[in-house]
Amino acid sequence: MEPFVVLLPLFGAMLAMPLGRLSGPRAAEIATTALVGLAALYSWHLFFDVAMGAQNARTVTLFTWFSSGDFVADWAVRLDTLSAVMLVVVNTVSFLVHFYSIGYMHEDDGRPRFFAYLSLFTFAMLSLVTADNFMQLFFGWEGVGLASYLLIGFWFKKKSANDAAIKAFVVNRVGDFGFALGIMGVFYVFKSVEFDAVFSVVKANAEVTPWGAAAGAPVRDLTITFLGQDFHALTTIAVLLFIGAMGKSAQFLLHTWLPDAMEGPTPVSALIHAATMVTAGVFLVCRCSIIFENAPDAAALVTLVGAITALFAASVGLLQDDIKKVVAYSTCSQLGFMFFAAGVGAYGAAMFHLLTHAFFKALLFLGSGAVIHGMHHEQDIKKMGGVKELLPFTHMLMFIGTIAITGVGAPGLILFGAPFGTAGFVSKDVILESAFLAGEAGRPFGAFAFGIGLVAAVFTSFYSWRLMYLTFYRRSRAPEHVRKHPHAAPDAMMIPLVPLAIGALFAGMAFYPHFVGKNAEHFWNGALYLPSAESHAAAPSHGDAGEAAASTPSHAAPGPADHAAPAAAEAHVEGGHHVPLWVLWAPFIAMLIGLMTAALHYGRGDPLKPGFLRPGGIVYGFLKNKWYFDEIYDFLLVRPALAFGRFLWKEGDGRTIDGVGPDGVAAAVAQGARRIVRVQTGYMYHYAFAMLVGIALFVTFILLRSGGGE
Amino acid sequence: MTETLASQPWLSLITFLPLLGAILIPASRMGRPVDANGQMSAKDQSMADKVAKNIALLFTLMTFVLSVVVYLAYYDPALPGYQLVEKVEWLGDGVNYKMGVDGISILFILLTTFIMPICILASWDSIKHRIGDYMMAFLVMETLMIGVFSALDLFLFYFFFEGSLIPMFLIIGVWGSKGTKQFAGIEMPSRVYAALKFFLFTLLGSVLLLVAMAYMYFKAGTTDVPTLQQFKFDADVQTWLWLAFFASFAVKVPMWPVHTWLPDAHVQAPTAGSVILAAILLKMGGYGFLRFSLPIFPIASDAFAPLVFALSIVAIIYTSLVALAQEDMKKLIAYSSVAHMGFVTMGTFSGTEQGVEGALFQMLSHGFISGALFLCVGVLYDRIHTREIAAYGGLVHRMPFYAFLFLFFTLGNAGLPGVSGFVGEFLTMTGAFLYNSWIAFFAATGVILSAAYALRLYRQVMYGELSKPGLLAIPDVDRRELLMLGTLMAFALYLGFNPTPALDVFSPSVDALVEGYSAAIAAGGR
């Protein structure tokens, strides 16, 4: 039964095109939506079965995929709390997006294809999250990349869409380059690519002997030679895997594809480029949390990159005028929050934010879709204004999304064991507090991430309210006919937003106790690294490790596994009482600063008047041009690669190899060649003749030898 | 290693069945009246052409069925040694007619017999003149190619190996495309230039191979391959012999820098010729490394492995970059072939089970995928008569089925998991990583580049507006094309999701090979 939770969307993907041909697009829409809906129901069932209640974690194996010596990987459905959470997120959002697309895409000719791609994406994402080995995870990883490529380029007549699609795929491949090497590194060290085998070795700190090495060592102390240098084995693997995560989750340096990916239809942006696919990197880090926890340098890198991304993307988001680009940069920034949470060891918090973010970001994207639809496909918020009057319901939903992302709540107020506030408030606060505590405990970049996170929170609040002001409030700047006749969104587009809005408001409070609160240990059940669970479990079973852990002061220097994060986790258990009051209030105040600034600037006078940053200024240009990453990459990588390819072709192949080789030789024997080519296929006989001569010589040789021998 | 004798000469039957078809084609023409120039009447000619095509299709299909039946009924995939062995006294004194297969070769025979009917189908309408001769060339070539993979006597191998070039020369030189080229100061048809280039490259290799062979025979007193594999040549002798064999196989693979004949040959060859070239002929080089270089010259192979890695990496990166700059569809795919074969040589010389099995799998998979890509180009060429990328654009509007198939193979070529290409690529890189992570590091950059050139090609040909006047009425794939491409897609997809059946066939023989190889290196004092 369990495989169906993955396979149902695949059936939908395969059925959509034939159904579209036979009985029209409506049949394809209904079939795919219904199948994903079924999968969503089933994943909620599994979620309660695996994570919330009985803890029936299990793995269902289908058949072997790879089998070459020790390199064995199965097609499997691994169900533990981590995959169950992802199943729920992916299938639920996917179902709602399918539903929404029935309305949003109703004028498009390629609907069956669109729904086939959406379902294909869902299948790939599900096979990613339910993998029980690195290879299947990689399969899903590339599969979602493919679906993303197809959907970004869905309107394939547009050059910009095609360019964006290719860019997304190729930049992701840069990440996959690291990911693939990471998997090979795993196999090199562990002689297996199965999660259970690998993680249990790391957990027990068992002795391993890398391939071809003379002697082994306990895995946490092992050094391997990578690219001619000796490195700590787990750090090397973790960094390589993280490079993959950076690509997929659009982290700093590999983020350039995500804003361009907004060329795809808006439901795609909501599903793939906000709620699910881009969170795959966070999922990967959490899945391998036991490795990252024992690779402190790698964890520090995750923290650093996450924090930089959170700030960088938010800073670019400040000045974007395209409604989808604002939300896209916001996604990029929120992913940064998730990463630095994971980096400081708060994996539960990272997954928690992943969940709440899926709700409010899908809501914001789909809401933006409704705005774009209503404003006759206008995406520039400078040309909007006053949309609240035209689309009041959409405004309400977007407002909920905005208070969720900016983090409106009541700091310090605990109701039913959870802080009181919107989903984003609860989860973002947990992250910032974890970072603060990790910083206190001396974990590298913990304090840095906390500080950066606060600044990013100010930016987040500012660009979110700026978007609200420019889009919904003040006088309308839209052309007459748009103002007079806004397109009211069909019900199919509005209904799916309601559950998302409910999630954006309440998911934080509802799931807090399980993800990071008092039930966390029971909830996660070993699916990801929890410091408290680790220290409890370690003591009885591994005497040495337990003693070592016990003898380490809990606020000692930064190091693997046992220090910073337990403090953070305990803090959550008790509802944030361990952090000073100012830390508790800081995110809320950051939100208020952003809100006030936006309100002051956009709430009165001309909303389009220049702000602190004058157009034409250096900072303005820097932000407006997204820190010039596209230009730099184009100049440093893309153009040289193309030019170098041409050079190698013309000069390397043409002038050097052929020039010295066949052409050169031929020129030298031009006389002979001239004679040969006189008969069109004459050289052929020549060759056959040469071969015959050779054979004749050989036969002669044999005969001579046998003659001599006998 | 044990050899299992065949109850019947099955391999010889499979090998020579196509040759029988080749003989029947001229025979079927006998008795038809000809004029003074030796030409038949138009009606007779078209009749004879039809007969020739049907004979070719029938015999290639029969060969395919026979090979599958023999494989299922008589081949035991659990055995590591040679099976279905036939041995007949031939030239005497250690040179025999000896055939046999193991896990390394058997699937190449099946690949050959599988690809051939597709090639015949691919030529069904596109070849307009001398059809009978064309079909004969293909049938003869099939015999020679199967022979290459089943010969267990070095001299017999040489005969098949070099002989297979002759029909290929003819196919390129006679049925190749139009256009002229300046070469050695003379104007000649481009196809002749291509064939001549092929000749010049190959000649060097085969002369050296022949000399090495003679020396080995002189030393070991036999050309029996299993005996030679047990015969321990001195380390310094191995060096020279290895180089001689390398020269021949490297040209065939082709490895950088002796690859430049391939793009020209591909561009000039008719579609089916390109398919055979990519799917089978290139594999003869990779097969040669595994059958001869590694087992017979283990110490030299180990010593030269760094050279092979260097050339493989250069091939992967260099030709991928060159592929990015191509303006001709066939050239682009040809360069990508060189890059993909770089993975094969890299995996082979890693000397690890994953690397070698990956190399074998990559060769199989490349047979399906690049064969199919050349067919895809052929589909367009048959309609518009140009291979220039810039001449196309927006075809997806008129050719949805073609768009789907072409996309599948394009992505397969870029190593997407779920398609067979990924399995071989990943296993060879893993094998290389175990040897030295630098190699895998460089090879993995090829994965980025392959996505770039493959998607660029697809975008320019398929996407955008359909605005070029010549393309407005272009028809989608017909049933024959759908059958060919659909079959290849089914195989590539099946092996992508379930490569284990093939890997299981490889593994007993590869295990034995890798074990023997490591033991020999250890004994040789690495």
Side-chain angles (χ1 to χ4, degrees), chain A residues 4-5 8-9 31-45 91 95:
Chain A
F4 281 99
V5 76
L8 285 173
T32 49
T33 309
L35 285 166
V36 175
L38 219 55
L41 280 180
Y42 191 34
S43 29
W44 278 100
H45 167 77
N91 269 330
F95 168 67

Side-chain angles (χ1 to χ4, degrees), chain B residues 297-314:
Chain B
F297 319 121
I299 295 171
S301 293
D302 184 50
F304 280 115
L307 171 73
V308 176
F309 292 136
L311 297 182
S312 305
I313 287 165
V314 172

Side-chain angles (χ1 to χ4, degrees), chain A residues 21 63-71 75 113 117 123 135 138-140 142-143 145-146 149-150 153 156-159 162-166 169-171 173-177 179-189 211 224-229 240 640-642 644-654 657-658 661-667 669-671 673-677 679-681 683-688 690-691 693-695 697-699 701-703 705-706 710, chain B residues 91-93 95 155 158-159 162-163 165-166 169-170 173-174 181 183-186 188-189 191-193 195-197 199-203 206 210 213-214 217-218 221 223 256-261 263-264 317-318 321-322 324-327 331 335 350 352-354 357-358 396-397 400-401 407 411 414-418 422-423 426-427 429-430 433-438 440-442 444-445 447-452 455-456 458-459 463-465 495-500 503-504:
Chain A
R21 251 167 205 276
F63 60 94
T64 303
W65 182 20
F66 270 71
S67 165
S68 175
D70 296 330
F71 199 97
W75 292 110
R113 190 164 56 89
Y117 289 169
F123 160 70
M135 294 311 288
F138 194 70
F139 164 82
E142 293 268 298
L146 164 69
Y149 160 79
L150 292 170
F156 48 65
K157 283 183 194 169
K158 274 166 74 183
K159 185 179 180 304
N162 289 324
D163 288 345
I166 292 185
F169 199 86
V170 173
V171 174
R173 272 284 170 110
V174 176
D176 297 350
F177 160 83
F179 191 4
L181 286 173
I183 297 174
M184 291 169 210
V186 166
F187 181 70
Y188 172 72
V189 170
W211 199 89
I224 54 169
T225 307
F226 180 71
L227 304 185
Q229 305 270 325
L240 289 170
L642 291 173
F644 193 47
R646 177 160 292 274
F647 169 81
L648 290 177
W649 175 32
K650 295 290 184 195
E651 299 297 319
D653 268 23
I657 298 176
D658 283 354
D663 293 357
V665 173
V669 292
Q671 247 357 78
R674 206 161 298 187
R675 218 171 293 134
I676 292 166
V677 293
V679 191
Q680 199 182 68
T681 52
Y683 60 90
M684 239 281 313
Y685 299 116
H686 199 77
Y687 176 78
M691 188 186 143
V693 169
I695 290 175
L697 283 173
F698 190 71
V699 173
F701 181 68
I702 294 167
L703 293 177
R705 193 172 174 281
S706 61
E710 284 156 348
Chain B
L91 301 173
D93 201 32
V95 182
F155 183 59
Y158 181 79
F159 173 79
E162 298 299 333
L165 300 175
I166 298 174
F169 277 141
L170 286 170
V174 179
K181 162 105 188 171
F183 183 62
I186 354 162
M188 63 171 81
R191 56 176 191 268
V192 175
Y193 168 76
L196 196 53
K197 202 166 168 183
F199 160 70
L200 282 166
F201 273 105
T202 319
L203 182 69
S206 33
L210 188 69
M213 220 168 74
Y217 176 68
F218 179 71
T223 50
W256 188 88
V258 287
H259 66 282
T260 59
W261 63 269
D264 281 311
I317 297 175
Y318 177 110
L321 284 170
V322 172
L324 265 177
Q326 293 309 303
E327 290 141 13
K331 261 199 175 159
Y335 275 111
S350 75
T352 59
E353 190 176 349
Q354 287 77 24
E357 284 183 14
V396 64
H397 301 274
F401 283 100
L407 180 66
L411 292 165
L416 193 79
F422 170 71
V423 179
F426 205 92
L427 283 177
M429 281 196 282
T430 305
F433 192 102
L434 299 180
Y435 186 96
N436 184 330
S437 48
W438 272 115
F441 177 83
F442 283 117
T445 59
V447 174
I448 303 171
L449 293 171
S450 71
L455 294 181
R456 174 185 162 269
Y458 192 82
R459 193 260 306 269
Y463 288 155
E465 297 277 0
L495 285 176
F497 277 92
N498 192 17
T500 315
L503 293 171
D504 283 349

